[in-house]
């Protein structure tokens, strides 16, 4: 928790105001019972009826004024404490989001997407709630405990012994919480992560679930995870349901005991000779009971904090796991600046293996490509094609060897500078909620309408956008669910084209296009991007026939490199792929 406190620094002023205002408010709370006892002792029990009424009126008005002032102080304190805690939560969520943005794919897999969502929402909310409780209770607790105890002793030293009973009893209850219930909160967080994971998978894969008629199976998975979470929640609730009535039973038993002992004290006095003393004891007993309640509340608040802190500590550790995670992709300590752009890219004996894997995914990859060239990468499923192009924007870092762009090792420049020179279209086209124009501006924030239409034309997306009623202002749903697969891919390609980057990477981005659109798109790219280094990962041979360089991968190694005609003669793997997709007539053309 302490490591996360620096996120509260921007709200230092609000925090101080909240603590000071609570100090004033709770200090006044200690005065009111004393004033009530004075009303009883010197007002109600006053032999002079008129004087008693005047005293009651004066003290009553004073109490009313103090109460009104206390309400105003409490409202102001609550405002400042809420502002500080909500701002603290917002800063924490912002820090988490910023950290997650910088994590590599391997880092994200360590924690899991569902768990990251839970940590960014539920865990932050729990810490935020603990923070607001601290700001409201931290000052109240010692004032009420020490002040209430002092005032109770001032009222009646003999009865004040009851306080010695309250504190250890509440302490035992708090200890029971720590030993029995706190570990359950950790399990509850894990089961929440598991439920979120299943829910996320079900929502994202609902079409597949329905297509394979696996609704009942997925319902059973969800039911089991939900049952596990509900069971632990009910167990915690049952413990609370036993504990709180027991605590209140002890509290009311204590109050009854105090009244009984106080009544015995009054009963011992002779009514004739100790009338004034008896009347004063009634008021003092009333005030004493309130002070006992104040002490009990203070100890209960301390116990509540004692319970909340371990729960918040669990959430804090989960958040710190993310914030303290050292990403595999590190920024250089002394970054270099790219020289004048020429778009040259070279892999020099590059190898890569995932952490913990026994075998590397890529081995000894060595090739170079430059501006104005189209380099195609092809191979069987799982041979490392996508992994290879994912190394260029540093989604992963090479295990050995180096990748050089414009004469500089990718690890020697900042990620920002690197990504400014690269446009990337992933296998799964991702679109964001908003308009077509909003999505295109992800590639270039200040893109004009002319630039947008030109990018759409090259990507063969102009026709269906112009046919829509709102054209560039057409709304796109989350992840483009209101578009076909081919339309999504073409918009994703247009978003990359509008960036006008030196290196343009297509990771199997033409798979949803028909052959005619595929051919038109490749022709447009050839004509419009003559100074761009284009790299295409493809499964279809027809997509790469006219590439300047075709790299054939097998088991993570380059088994052939050259143009189409050359590889047909020299590379058996490539020839096998071609023959599986093209007829003899196609090959003869």
């Amino acid at each position: 928790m302490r490591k996360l406190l620096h996120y509260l620094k921007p709200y230092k002023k609000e925090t101080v105001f909240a603590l000071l205002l609570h100090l004033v408010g709770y200090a006044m709370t200690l005065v009111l019972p004393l004033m009530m006892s004075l009303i009883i002792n010197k007002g109600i029990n006053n032999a002079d009826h008129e004087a008693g009424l005047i005293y009651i009126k004066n003290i009553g008005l004073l109490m009313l004024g103090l109460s009104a002032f206390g309400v105003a102080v409490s409202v102001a304190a609550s405002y400042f404490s809420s502002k500080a805690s909500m701002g603290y939560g917002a800063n924490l969520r912002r820090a988490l989001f910023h950290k997650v943005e910088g994590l590599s794919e391997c880092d994200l897999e360590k924690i899991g997407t569902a768990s990251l969502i839970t940590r960014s929402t539920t865990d932050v909310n729990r810490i935020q709630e603990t923070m607001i409780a601290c700001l409201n209770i931290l000052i109240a607790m010692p004032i009420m405990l020490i002040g209430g105890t002092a005032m109770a002793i001032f009222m009646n030293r003999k009865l004040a012994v009851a306080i010695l009973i309250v504190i250890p009893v509440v302490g035992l209850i708090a200890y029971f919480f720590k030993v029995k219930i706190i570990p359950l909160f950790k399990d509850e967080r894990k089961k929440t992560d598991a439920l979120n994971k299943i829910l996320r998978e079900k929502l994202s894969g609902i079409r597949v679930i329905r297509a394979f008629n696996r609704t009942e199976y997925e319902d059973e998975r969800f039911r089991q995870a939900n049952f596990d979470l509900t069971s632990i929640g009910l167990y915690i609730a049952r413990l609370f349901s036993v504990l709180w009535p027991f605590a209140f039973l002890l509290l009311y038993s204590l109050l009854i005991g105090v009244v009984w002992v106080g009544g015995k004290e009054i009963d011992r006095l002779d009514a004739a000779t100790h009338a004034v003393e008896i009347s004063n004891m009634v008021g003092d007993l009333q005030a004493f009971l309130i002070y006992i309640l104040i002490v009990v509340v203070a100890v209960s608040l301390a116990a509540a904090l004692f319970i909340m802190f371990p729960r918040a500590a669990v959430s804090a550790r989960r958040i710190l796991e993310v914030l303290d995670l050292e990403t595999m992709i590190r920024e250089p300590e002394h970054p270099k600046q790219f020289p004048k752009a020429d778009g040259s890219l070279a892999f020099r004996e590059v190898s890569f293996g995932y952490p913990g894997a026994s075998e590397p995914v890529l081995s000894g990859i060595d090739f170079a490509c430059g501006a104005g060239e189209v380099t195609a990468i092809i191979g069987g499923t799982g041979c490392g094609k996508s992994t290879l192009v994912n190394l260029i924007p540093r989604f992963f870092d090479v295990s050995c060897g180096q990748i050089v762009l414009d004469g500089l090792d990718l690890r020697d420049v900042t990620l920002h500078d690197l990504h400014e020179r690269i446009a990337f279209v992933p296998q799964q086209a991702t679109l964001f909620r908003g308009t077509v124009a909003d999505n295109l501006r992800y590639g270039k924030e200040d893109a004009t309408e002319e630039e947008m239409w030109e990018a759409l034309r090259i990507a063969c997306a102009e026709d269906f956008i112009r046919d829509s009623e709102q054209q560039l202002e057409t709304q796109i749903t989350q992840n483009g669910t209101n578009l076909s697969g081919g339309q999504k891919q073409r918009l994703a390609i247009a978003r990359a084209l509008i960036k006008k980057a030196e290196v343009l990477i297509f990771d199997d981005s033409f798979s949803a296009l028909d052959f005619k659109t595929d051919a038109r798109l490749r022709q447009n790219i050839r004509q419009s991007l003559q100074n761009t280094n284009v790299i295409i990962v493809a499964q279809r041979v027809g997509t790469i026939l006219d590439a300047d360089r075709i790299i054939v991968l097998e088991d993570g190694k380059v088994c052939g490199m050259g143009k189409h005609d050359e590889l047909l003669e020299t590379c058996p793997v490539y020839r096998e792929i071609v023959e599986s997709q093209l007829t003899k007539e196609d090959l003869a053309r």
Side-chain angles (χ1 to χ4, degrees):
M1 285 284 287
R2 194 179 303 167
K3 286 185 178 180
L4 299 177
L5 283 179
H6 71 274
Y7 293 104
L8 190 62
K9 281 185 179 180
Y11 298 92
K12 189 186 297 183
K13 188 186 296 183
E14 286 83 356
T15 303
V16 172
F17 281 159
L19 294 175
L20 289 176
L21 288 170
H22 277 306
L23 176 64
V24 174
Y26 286 111
M28 287 193 301
T29 302
L30 296 173
V31 178
L32 294 177
L34 179 61
M35 297 178 74
M36 187 195 70
S37 73
L38 292 175
I39 286 178
I40 295 173
N41 294 341
K42 297 184 179 181
I44 296 174
N45 295 330
N46 197 323
D48 187 342
H49 184 67
E50 291 295 329
L53 286 175
I54 293 171
Y55 189 84
I56 291 171
K57 181 180 178 181
N58 291 336
I59 299 297
L61 288 173
L62 182 59
M63 286 183 69
L64 187 63
L66 287 175
S67 298
F69 181 68
V71 168
V73 167
S74 296
V75 169
S78 296
Y79 168 77
F80 285 117
S81 60
S82 298
K83 186 176 180 180
S85 60
M86 295 300 174
Y88 171 72
N91 288 344
L92 203 51
R93 274 188 291 270
R94 190 180 299 113
L96 268 173
F97 185 77
H98 180 72
K99 179 68 177 183
V100 171
E101 280 187 315
L103 295 178
S104 69
E105 297 290 333
C106 293
D107 298 326
L108 292 173
E109 289 172 5
K110 285 181 185 176
I111 301 172
T113 305
S115 183
L116 283 170
I117 293 172
T118 306
R119 294 175 199 226
S120 301
T121 52
T122 307
D123 286 328
V124 171
N125 288 341
R126 179 160 290 170
I127 293 175
Q128 186 174 283
E129 289 166 4
T130 304
M131 179 58 66
I132 196 169
C134 286
L135 293 177
N136 290 332
I137 295 172
L138 209 57
I139 290 293
M141 185 178 62
I143 292 176
M144 294 172 71
L145 183 61
I146 298 170
T149 302
M151 293 302 292
I153 293 172
F154 174 74
M155 289 293 176
N156 192 311
R157 292 184 181 180
K158 193 172 183 180
L159 292 178
V161 176
I163 295 172
L164 299 177
I165 300 173
V166 174
I167 295 175
V169 169
V170 177
L172 285 172
I173 294 172
Y175 179 75
F176 174 79
F177 263 94
K178 181 182 178 182
V179 172
K180 188 71 177 176
I181 297 180
I182 298 305
L184 296 176
F185 291 142
K186 296 179 181 179
D187 293 337
E188 186 186 30
R189 293 291 89 218
K190 291 178 182 178
K191 294 184 185 301
T192 302
D193 283 346
L195 183 66
N196 285 343
K197 182 179 180 180
I198 292 173
L199 185 60
R200 185 174 180 275
E201 285 179 349
K202 186 167 184 176
L203 291 174
S204 61
I206 189 68
R207 294 182 182 179
V208 176
I209 293 168
R210 290 173 180 169
F212 285 90
N213 210 16
R214 299 289 284 174
T215 304
E216 291 184 5
Y217 171 75
E218 289 298 328
D219 286 348
E220 178 59 25
R221 284 182 67 211
F222 181 82
R223 188 200 65 77
Q224 186 59 50
N226 193 31
F227 177 78
D228 291 342
L229 180 60
T230 303
S231 297
I232 195 169
L234 286 174
Y235 184 58
I236 293 171
R238 281 195 292 269
L239 290 175
F240 274 104
S241 66
V242 172
L243 203 57
W244 288 125
F246 178 70
F248 280 112
L249 175 65
L250 291 176
L251 171 62
Y252 289 125
S253 299
L254 178 66
L255 294 177
I256 291 169
V258 169
V259 172
W260 184 76
V261 173
K264 285 287 185 181
E265 286 290 317
I266 294 172
D267 192 51
R268 287 197 191 97
L269 299 174
D270 184 83
T273 56
H274 299 88
V276 176
E277 189 175 347
I278 289 173
S279 64
N280 287 341
M281 283 192 68
V282 173
D284 291 349
L285 183 60
Q286 283 284 91
F288 182 84
L289 288 173
I290 295 175
Y291 284 125
I292 285 288
L293 282 175
I294 288 174
V295 172
V296 169
V297 169
V299 176
S300 300
L301 290 176
L305 279 182
F306 183 77
I307 294 164
M308 290 181 76
F309 270 129
R311 292 187 70 183
V314 172
S315 295
R317 280 195 293 272
R318 285 162 54 85
I319 290 171
L320 284 170
E321 279 179 18
V322 180
L323 295 178
D324 292 344
L325 183 64
E326 288 195 17
T327 179
M328 295 176 62
I329 310 300
R330 298 182 182 180
E331 294 277 14
E333 292 184 8
H334 305 289
K336 297 178 181 178
Q337 297 295 320
F338 276 114
K340 187 176 179 180
D342 61 12
S344 62
L345 180 71
F347 278 64
R348 296 175 180 171
E349 293 298 327
V350 168
S351 296
F352 171 77
Y354 290 103
S358 57
E359 296 290 334
V361 179
L362 298 170
S363 299
I365 306 298
D366 195 289
F367 70 92
C369 51
E373 294 181 342
V374 176
T375 301
I377 302 170
I378 195 169
T381 302
C383 67
K385 301 184 298 296
S386 293
T387 302
L388 189 150
V389 293
N390 281 329
L391 294 174
I392 300 172
R394 289 190 70 196
F395 295 155
F396 305 102
D397 260 346
V398 299
S399 302
C400 62
Q402 64 176 173
I403 304 174
V404 177
L405 176 62
D406 291 341
L408 290 179
D409 190 310
L410 299 185
R411 292 167 293 189
D412 291 336
V413 297
T414 64
L415 289 171
H416 177 270
D417 287 350
L418 174 63
H419 293 160
E420 283 292 310
R421 296 184 174 232
I422 295 172
F424 190 89
V425 185
Q427 280 182 315
Q428 293 185 340
T430 301
L431 298 178
F432 300 96
R433 188 189 300 274
T435 64
V436 171
D438 292 336
N439 276 273
L440 292 177
R441 288 194 178 102
Y442 263 79
K444 186 180 180 184
E445 290 185 25
D446 58 349
T448 63
E449 283 197 17
E450 290 76 12
E451 290 175 315
M452 292 184 197
W453 285 118
E454 176 62 14
L456 291 169
R457 183 194 65 78
I458 298 172
C460 299
E462 182 181 14
D463 292 344
F464 75 85
I465 296 299
R466 285 200 185 276
D467 289 343
S468 62
E469 186 177 344
Q470 294 179 305
Q471 297 192 357
L472 290 175
E473 296 305 312
T474 300
Q475 287 293 323
I476 304 295
T477 58
Q478 185 177 353
N479 209 25
T481 53
N482 59 335
L483 299 174
S484 70
Q487 289 173 332
K488 285 170 61 176
Q489 278 196 342
R490 282 178 279 171
L491 281 180
I493 291 169
R495 181 177 57 199
L497 292 171
I498 205 170
K499 188 175 181 180
K500 297 178 181 177
E502 294 175 31
V503 181
L504 182 56
I505 303 169
F506 297 102
D507 184 6
D508 199 14
S509 309
F510 303 156
S511 57
L513 304 181
D514 58 77
F515 289 103
K516 183 179 178 181
T517 305
D518 185 334
R520 279 177 53 210
L521 178 54
R522 285 185 286 110
Q523 183 180 6
N524 291 345
I525 289 174
R526 274 284 191 187
Q527 293 173 352
S528 305
L529 305 177
Q530 296 181 2
N531 296 316
T532 303
N533 189 345
V534 179
I535 299 173
I536 301 175
V537 171
Q539 297 283 359
R540 296 195 308 217
V541 173
T543 304
I544 62 171
L545 288 175
D546 57 350
D548 299 298
R549 181 183 300 99
I550 299 173
I551 298 171
V552 186
L553 293 182
E554 184 181 33
D555 297 329
K557 299 177 182 179
V558 176
C559 64
M561 188 185 307
K563 290 194 174 185
H564 170 71
D565 294 334
E566 297 171 5
L567 291 172
L568 280 176
E569 300 294 330
T570 61
C571 183
V573 174
Y574 182 73
R575 186 166 56 251
E576 183 181 345
I577 294 172
V578 172
E579 290 174 350
S580 68
Q581 296 184 25
L582 301 179
T583 63
K584 292 181 179 180
E585 291 77 11
D586 292 328
L587 288 172
R589 289 176 187 173

